[in-house]
Structures are given as C-alpha cells and as structure tokens.
Amino acid sequence: MAGNLTTGGGEDLPSDTNGKFANNNSLVVSFGEFLIDFVPIVGGVSLAEAPAFKKAPGGAPANVAVCVSRLGGTSAFIGKVGDDEFGRMLANILKENNVDNSGMRFDHSARTALSFVTLRADGEREFLFFRHPSADMRLHESELDINLIKQAKIFHFGSISLIEEPCKSAQLAAMNIAKKSGSILSYDPNLRLPLWPSAEAARKGIMSIWDQADLIKVSEDEITFLTEGGDPYDDNVVMKNLFHPNLKLLIVTEGPAGCRYYTKTFKGRVPGIKVKPVDTTGAGDAFVGGLLSSLASDLNLLQDEKRLREALAFANACGALTVTERGAIPSLPTKQAVLDALTKHHTS
C-alpha cells in the first residue's frame, strides 16, 4: 500500500503510538465513494446517442484527495470498492498519485460502483448510476482505519455515504473519531438527487450533519434545493438557513464567476478565472482540494481575511484549470500550474 509517502527521510522523528503521519500535521483524510465514470468519447450527446464510452476514476472524496496530493500536500482516502478489476484499478490510481490508500477496503460480494456521465453541449453533466448495491455503500464501522482518521488535520466528507446503511453509520463514526481527535471537519454535500429515495430524504439527510461541520462548501443550486427555493444570492437566506454557530467557514461556489465566503466576522466574494470549459467534472472537487491544501498548511487563514481571499483565489484557479480538460483526476492541476494561471490572470 502507499504508506511510504509521508516522511522526508530516515531521521528519527517524533511519533505517536502508531503514526506514520506523526511528523506530518497537515494530513487531509477524505472519506466516501470512489467509482468508475463512463464518459462518452464525444461531447454534447445523450447516453443513448453516445457511440462509445471512456472509463475514468470518479467520486468526489477521492478527487479531493488526489487534488491535495497533486498540489504538494499529504492526503489519504478511506472508502470501499469491489474486490474486482475496477476496484484494484482505483486503489492503484491513488497509489500512483501519492494518496495513502491503506484505509481502502475491498468487498467480496458487491461490485465497484459505476456511473455513466454524459457531457451536454454546454459542458454540464447528466448521470446514470449503477449501485444496487455497490461496494462503497457497504463500508462497515468495524472496517474503519481509526489510527488514520485520528491523524487527520482535516477530515473531509460528502453526503452520498449517508444514503444507506452500513456506510451511513461508518461515516458518522468516522466524523466522531475525527472531531474528538481535534480534526477540522470539512463537508461538501455534493447533491446527487437520483441516488436518494426522494428530494425530502436528500434534504433531511444532507442537513442531518450540517451543524457538525467546521467548513462547508455549497453550490448555488444546492442552496436553492436545501432552502426549498431560497435565493442563493441573498446573504440573508444563506446566513439564516445555512450558517450555524460552530461553523468556521461557509463557501458558496458560483462556477466560473468564483465564490462567496462567510465567517462569523467577515464575508465577501472572490472572482473566478475565465477559461473555456471542456468538461466541468471535478471542478468543485478541485476547488475543495485547493482550499483544503492551503488550510492544511495553515489553519490561521480562517481568521485572516486577506490570506483567506488569497487561498480562495487559488482554489478558484484549481477549479478553473480542471474544466479545461476531460475527466476529473487527469485534469487536476499541479501547484505550479495554478500559480502560473494566477500570475497570468493578474497581469492580463
């Protein structure tokens, strides 16, 4: 497994009782689904019209973990795949991308999840999922790598694992372990309505853990859905419905326009970088990965508006660069590519 990517050398570093990350206090652990996306080889067609499909690794939490690593950070992924060719392929992709995959588990009876994703003419997506049930839904609390979770500076998760047991209980237990260990809890609801039994179940499930998160990233569409028709551009709607007393940072992403941020003491907007979109898959995950990579190296950003704005401009650029190529993981940028894009943006 990819357990050798944490120390800078062979020197004796302070260690806790079981910490391969003990010397690294900037670990981002991402929890949730990891699957195979099948994407049409041509854009702008329905699934039925697609002449052929190309397979690509997918799943928001895994995308975030790879993004953090590609930007030079330290990350790990916890989740379950099938004990099949696709599952082993996904584990290997994490290893190749320097993401610790020791928290992955393999299910002997359920398959790795599949998702057919079509890119419409405008670059937006339509989904068709095969999860009846899939391996990611069958992660048990007893299979959690507790020591890995305890070492997380930031513990990141979504809402898809909350849809079914046993993975719902596994996620709640992992969140609890991380919280008690002093981790920052990061939440991207990542609404996928077709996976939930009903819209009401989705709303209730997503909001059920809202007040446990320290950091939440939500899109405009998700605000409208969660507030049952509220205006996502109205600060009062956002603050009244979605800000809670323990929240350190609430981010509203606005696609190519950038993002808005809300804390207890300040709020504002950071414009995005204009690019020509080819495929929006993974843009939100790249944004989250970009932000978490900055936060993992310095949590004090949350109290310093100027530096938070710089971190959000960096995250915006991560998202923007990701939409210029097809597929999420292949198009996630390096730190240098993001810095170059920001420099170009400021000088143009």
Side-chain angles (χ1 to χ4, degrees), residues 76-320:
F77 173 76
I78 292 177
K80 201 172 196 185
V81 292
D83 186 15
D84 51 42
E85 281 293 308
F86 284 150
R88 285 185 285 277
M89 178 190 113
L90 292 176
N92 205 44
I93 284 168
L94 291 185
K95 194 174 178 181
E96 287 168 0
N97 283 282
N98 288 338
V99 176
D100 186 282
N101 63 9
S102 60
M104 279 184 82
R105 301 293 178 258
F106 298 82
D107 197 289
H108 299 296
S109 52
R111 296 284 189 216
T112 301
L114 307 180
S115 164
F116 286 79
V117 189
T118 180
L119 304 168
R120 299 196 313 246
D122 59 2
E124 280 302 322
R125 299 158 295 164
E126 289 170 10
F127 294 91
L128 176 61
F129 293 98
F130 286 75
R131 299 170 86 237
H132 307 94
S134 55
D136 60 289
M137 299 154 70
R138 292 168 56 116
L139 181 69
H140 288 261
E141 184 179 339
S142 60
E143 296 175 299
L144 292 173
D145 188 332
I146 291 168
N147 296 326
L148 185 58
I149 297 167
K150 282 182 173 175
Q151 293 170 70
K153 185 165 189 180
I154 299 174
F155 184 72
H156 177 72
F157 48 87
S159 70
I160 288 171
S161 297
L162 298 173
I163 299 171
E164 298 255 3
E165 292 289 4
C167 63
K168 178 181 177 180
S169 292
Q171 173 163 338
L172 296 176
M175 288 167 57
N176 194 33
I177 293 163
K179 194 81 163 173
K180 283 183 174 166
S181 305
S183 308
I184 290 283
L185 266 54
S186 162
Y187 183 25
D188 177 0
N190 199 35
L191 175 67
R192 294 287 178 266
L193 208 45
L195 294 178
W196 292 86
S198 67
E200 190 45 46
R203 208 172 280 114
K204 194 174 167 191
I206 287 169
M207 295 308 293
S208 69
I209 59 168
W210 201 264
D211 61 356
Q212 294 181 52
D214 298 296
L215 184 159
I216 297 172
K217 171 248 166 194
V218 67
S219 70
E220 302 157 290
D221 291 346
E222 286 163 346
I223 292 174
T224 303
F225 174 77
L226 293 170
T227 59
E228 299 191 59
D231 178 0
Y233 301 103
D234 185 336
D235 285 349
N236 293 326
V237 168
V238 174
M239 291 300 283
K240 182 167 163 273
N241 293 281
L242 302 178
F243 203 88
H244 66 76
N246 301 319
L247 198 54
K248 293 178 172 64
L249 178 64
L250 175 66
I251 300 287
V252 179
T253 52
E254 300 180 343
C259 68
R260 303 200 305 278
Y261 57 90
Y262 302 85
T263 73
K264 285 194 190 76
T265 51
F266 49 75
K267 63 180 183 180
R269 194 170 168 279
V270 179
I273 290 178
K274 295 281 182 286
V275 292
K276 185 169 168 40
V278 173
D279 174 8
T280 57
T281 308
D285 305 330
F287 175 92
V288 172
L291 178 59
L292 296 188
S293 69
S294 298
L295 277 175
S297 46
D298 186 8
L299 286 176
N300 292 327
L301 287 174
L302 294 169
Q303 280 85 45
D304 184 332
E305 186 171 12
K306 181 177 178 289
R307 288 168 59 228
L308 177 63
R309 288 182 64 86
E310 287 168 3
L312 291 172
F314 182 87
N316 282 341
C318 290

